Amino acid sequence: MSGTFLGMPAFPRNAEKALRDSQLRFNLRNATHTIRARRAAVVEELPDWDRLRAAGKAIKDDALRNLDRYLVRAEEAVTRAGGHVHWAADAAEAGRIVVDLVRATGETEVVKVKSMATQEIGLNEVLRDAGIVAAETDLAELIVQLGDDWPSHILVPAIHRNRAEIREIFRERMADWGRPAPPDLTDDPAALAEAARRHLRERFLTAKVGISGANFLIAETGTLVVLESEGNGRMCLTLPRTLISVVGIEKVLPTWRDLEVFLQLLPRSSTGERMNPYTSTWTGAAEGQEFHLILLDNGRTNALADEIGRQALRCIRCSACLNVCPVYERVGGHAYGSVYPGPIGAILTPLLRGTATDLDASLPYASSLCGACYDVCPVAIDIPEVLVHLRAKVPHPPAERLGMAAAGWTLNRQARLRLAQRAASRLRRLVPRRRLPGPGAAWTDTRDVPAVPEESFREWWRRTEGREGGDR
Amino acid sequence: MRVGLFVTCVNDTLFPGTGKAVVTLLRRLGCAVEFPEGQTCCGQMHVNSGYRDEGVRLARGFLEVFAGYDAVVVPSGSCAAMVREQYPKLAAGMGATRPGAFAGAHRGRTRFAAAVAAVTPRVYELSEFLVDVLGRTDVGAYFPHRVTYHPTCHSLRGLRVGDRPTRLLRAVRGLELVPLPAADECCGFGGTFAVKNAAVSAAMCADKIANVEATGAEVLCAADNSCLMHLGGTLSRLRTGVRVMHLAEILAATEGDR
C-alpha cells in the first residue's frame, strides 16, 4: 500500500473518476451480484434468521453498553492465560507498541493475517518506516500489497481486480517480495492460487513474528477468534514464535456461548456459506509462544458516545451492505477513502475519524438512502438512520444553507407556497428544460426538467372545490 | 370516514395531475376526500439533507393540519414513509443534538411526540389505503397498455407495501403488466443525492432505464413522482418513447378517458 487515505478528495469527485473506469464497474458488478445472490440463498434457508439477527443485535448492544466491564474481564482472562495486554488510545500509540514489540524480538520481517484494524491504523507503513517488512498472507491482501494498491472491499479487498490483472501483478511483483511467479503463469484461477500458495508457504515457514486481527474477543475466557477461508490465518497464528493481535475494543462478546449466534450470522452474510471454512481460536500464550493483545480505541469511544451513531460499532465486518449497495456497486471502495468502504464505511469512518476533512464530511451523503443496506445487515444497523443523523452534524456549504432556509421559509406557510407556485406557473415558459443554472445544472446534465404546470393542484382545488380551511 | 389528502409539495407544484387522479379515484370508490389547504410539505428533503430543525418545523405543520382526519392518504411512498417511519424517530431523538437548548424544550418535545403517536398510524400510502382500508384491489380502472412497475425504495423497504401496487395494476382491465428486471434496486434519485452525487445518480438511472427498455413496456409506473421525475427526465432526454405515469393516474383511468 502506498500513501495513506488522508488527503483524498471528497466522495463525489472520487466517484466520478471511478465511474469512468468501465473495467472497474464490470468487475464490481459481477462480483457483488454473485455474492449477493449466494447470501440471499443461504439466508433464505434459515427459518429463524430474523431471530438470529435480533439476537446478534442484542448481544452486541449489551457488549457495547457494558464495554468497560467486559474489556477489563477480557484483560484479566488473557493475562491469566499467559498473554500480555496493551491499551492503545489511537493509531500512533498502537503503531509504537507494535514496533517496540517486534524490535524486542530482533526480527525485521513479520507475516500478517488479514486485519482491518491494522489497515485502519496504517501499520504496514509504520513498520516499513521502522525498517520492518510486513507481508500480507491473505490472498486478496497479497494481491493488493503486490499491486501497491488499496483494499476496495471489506471481505474481498481485491474485488476491483480481474484475473488477467492479477496475473500481471504476480508476474511483475512477486519476485520483489520472495519466491517469484512461474514464468508460464496463466490467468486460470487454480494456477493463480497455486502461485500464491508457493509464494506464501516460504514466508510462513521463515516468519518468527505474526500479526493478526480478530473477529471476536470473548470476555469470559479471554479467547480471540478469527474466521477465514484460506487457512493462511491458521498458519500465521500457530507458526511464529511471537503473535501480536491488534483488536478494536468493540470486538468484545460477553460469553463463549454468544459465538453460536455469530458463527451463523457472519459466514452466511459475508461469503454466502453455511459454515465458515477455518475458524481459529486462541487464549493467551500457547507453549513456546509469546502472545500480545493490543486493544485499540482510535475513535471508538467517540462513536460510542454518539447515541444514534453507536450502533455502527455492532458491525461484524461481513460486507453484506457493500454487496447490495447501488452506490458501492458503481464506484468501488477506493472512493470512500478509508479501509471501511460502502454503506458501513459511510457512517463508521466519520464516526471514528470525525468530519473535519472534506472527504469525511462528504461520506454521509454517499447514499441515496435506499435502505438495502439496513435490510441485509445481520446485526440490524439502521445505516440510513445514522446517515441522516450524521448529515445533521456535518457542516453545510453556505449557499446550500441559504437555499434550504429559503425553501423552509416558503414551505412553512401555505400562503407563501401558493405565491411561489403562482410565480412558477407565470414564468413557466422561461424555465429551461435542458439547461438549468447553478446546482440545477447537475440535474440537467442527463435529465430533462418536467414542465411546470399552468395551475398547481392547490389552485385547481380552489377553483373547483371552493375555499376550505383558509390561510394558516 | 373523513379522508384527508396529503398531496405532497412536489405533486402540488409540479404534478397536479396525480392529485386530481387521487381525488377522482377515491370519489369513485365512495370516499369523501378533503384537501386541507394548510398543508405544505412533510419535511423530508430538509431532514434527509441534514436540516433537522427546518424539517421538524414542517413536520409540526403536517401534524397540526391532519390532526382531525380518520385517514390521511398520500400518493407518495417516500413522503408516507417520512411521516410514518421518520417522524417517530425525530420525536425520539429530539434534543439529542442540542440538549436543553431552550426553555420549554421538554414540553415541546412531549407535545410533538404525542402528535406523532396520534396522527402517524392513520397515514397511508395510496395502495395501502385502497387495499387495506377500502379492501379493494379492483378499482374499476381501464388502461389498455403495456406497463412495467418500479416499486421505489421507500415504498418497498420503508413502508413494506409489498405486492399491493402490482395487485391493483393486475386488476386493471386491458393492462398488461410486465415484470421489471432488478425492480428492487434504487433508481438513483434519492432527493438531494441526485444533485450532490450527480454522476453516481445518473449511472444508477442509466441501469434502471436499460431494464425498463428491456421490458418493452410503453409506460413506466411508480407510486412516487420524485423517482418518476428523475427516470422520466432521463427517458425524455434519451428520446426512448417510454412515458412515466403515477400509479394513481392509471388507477383513475376509465373507458371515458379514451
Side-chain angles (χ1 to χ4, degrees), chain A residues 36 330 365 368 370 375 382 391 396 400 404 411 414 421 444 447-448 453 457-458 462 465 468, chain B residues 12-13 37 39-40 46 48-51 89 157 160 185-186 196-197 207 230 233-234 236-237:
Chain A
R36 193 190 297 187
R330 283 161 185 91
Y365 292 96
S368 64
C370 83
D375 262 20
D382 191 341
R391 288 177 185 187
H396 301 128
E400 183 194 283
M404 284 290 182
L411 290 167
Q414 61 133 328
Q421 288 172 337
T444 47
R447 290 160 283 229
D448 288 343
F457 177 81
R458 189 175 295 275
R462 283 194 169 199
E465 307 288 325
E468 293 179 21
Chain B
D12 183 7
T13 309
E37 290 187 46
Q39 67 177 275
T40 57
H46 283 95
N48 281 0
S49 306
Y51 297 80
K89 283 181 184 171
R157 288 180 283 267
R160 311 245 168 230
E185 283 178 24
C186 179
K196 280 184 175 274
N197 276 288
D207 291 348
H230 159 76
T234 309
S236 156
R237 177 66 55 90

Side-chain angles (χ1 to χ4, degrees), chain A residues 308-374:
Chain A
I308 294 172
R310 69 173 61 137
Q311 57 183 308
L313 295 179
R314 290 206 297 261
C315 177
I316 54 172
R317 314 282 189 262
C318 72
S319 74
C321 64
L322 276 64
N323 298 328
V324 294
C325 178
V327 176
Y328 176 85
E329 179 189 326
R330 283 161 185 91
V331 305
H334 293 165
Y336 295 80
S338 154
V339 61
Y340 307 112
I344 186 64
I347 59 171
L348 195 55
T349 305
L351 282 166
L352 293 179
R353 289 204 301 224
T355 53
T357 69
D358 184 24
L359 171 70
D360 292 341
S362 72
L363 286 176
Y365 292 96
S367 163
S368 64
L369 303 179
C370 83
C373 49
Y374 180 26

Side-chain angles (χ1 to χ4, degrees), chain A residues 11-12 15-16 19 25 29 33 36 326-327 329-331 365-372 375 382 385 388-389 391-393 396-397 400-401 404-405 407-408 411-414 417 421 433-434 439 442-448 450-453 455-458 460-462 465-468 470 472, chain B residues 5 7 9 11-16 19-20 23 27 33-35 37-41 45-52 54 57-58 61 64-65 86 89 93 96-97 153-154 157 160 185-186 188-190 192-204 207 226 229-230 233-234 236-237 239:
Chain A
F11 184 83
E16 231 179 305
L19 281 163
R25 278 177 74 182
R29 190 183 162 76
H33 281 246
R36 193 190 297 187
V327 176
E329 179 189 326
R330 283 161 185 91
V331 305
Y365 292 96
S367 163
S368 64
L369 303 179
C370 83
D375 262 20
D382 191 341
E385 179 188 33
V388 168
H389 165 73
R391 288 177 185 187
K393 293 175 99 179
H396 301 128
E400 183 194 283
R401 220 164 43 221
M404 284 290 182
L411 290 167
N412 206 24
R413 289 281 182 281
Q414 61 133 328
L417 172 59
Q421 288 172 337
R433 298 208 58 194
R434 298 200 139 217
W443 180 272
T444 47
D445 273 350
T446 58
R447 290 160 283 229
D448 288 343
V452 179
E455 186 181 54
S456 68
F457 177 81
R458 189 175 295 275
W460 172 81
W461 180 268
R462 283 194 169 199
E465 307 288 325
R467 270 180 79 119
E468 293 179 21
R472 275 178 62 218
Chain B
L5 167 62
V7 77
C9 60
N11 289 334
D12 183 7
T13 309
L14 289 173
F15 306 100
K20 294 179 202 174
V23 173
R27 285 193 176 148
V33 194
E34 289 177 37
F35 173 76
E37 290 187 46
Q39 67 177 275
T40 57
C41 166
M45 178 182 78
H46 283 95
V47 170
N48 281 0
S49 306
Y51 297 80
R52 204 165 152 278
E54 283 91 340
R57 258 200 294 282
L58 292 167
E64 200 177 299
V65 168
Q86 274 180 269
K89 283 181 184 171
T97 47
C153 302
H154 293 167
R157 288 180 283 267
R160 311 245 168 230
E185 283 178 24
C186 179
F189 172 62
T192 46
F193 175 77
V195 177
K196 280 184 175 274
N197 276 288
V200 188
S201 168
M204 288 161 69
D207 291 348
S226 305
M229 178 170 74
H230 159 76
T234 309
S236 156
R237 177 66 55 90
R239 301 178 198 281

Side-chain angles (χ1 to χ4, degrees), chain B residues 67-149:
Chain B
Y69 289 90
D70 302 313
V72 181
V73 176
V74 189
S76 159
S78 186
C79 304
M82 170 67 188
V83 173
R84 235 166 54 201
E85 306 299 309
Q86 274 180 269
Y87 279 16
K89 283 181 184 171
L90 284 177
M94 270 174 84
T97 47
R98 300 180 309 158
F102 56 93
H106 181 70
R107 207 163 352 115
R109 208 150 62 223
T110 318
R111 218 173 326 133
F112 183 78
V116 167
V119 176
T120 53
R122 285 178 277 121
V123 172
Y124 300 93
E125 185 270 329
L126 177 66
S127 72
E128 293 176 323
F129 182 74
L130 296 172
V131 175
D132 300 350
V133 181
L134 299 184
R136 300 286 293 265
T137 45
D138 184 349
V139 296
Y142 174 70
F143 190 74
H145 297 284
R146 186 192 279 243
V147 176
T148 194
Y149 186 76

Side-chain angles (χ1 to χ4, degrees), chain A residues 30-49:
Chain A
N30 263 353
T32 57
H33 281 246
T34 308
I35 310 176
R36 193 190 297 187
R38 232 173 30 210
R39 188 209 78 96
V42 295
V43 164
E44 190 81 356
E45 288 175 352
L46 289 188
D48 61 345
W49 182 257

Side-chain angles (χ1 to χ4, degrees), chain A residues 161-183:
Chain A
R161 299 288 198 182
N162 64 25
R163 57 192 201 179
E165 292 173 284
I166 294 167
R167 179 182 66 158
E168 285 315 297
I169 291 169
F170 279 10
R171 282 212 299 217
E172 283 173 22
R173 300 300 306 277
M174 255 183 184
D176 301 344
W177 289 80
R179 188 191 175 99

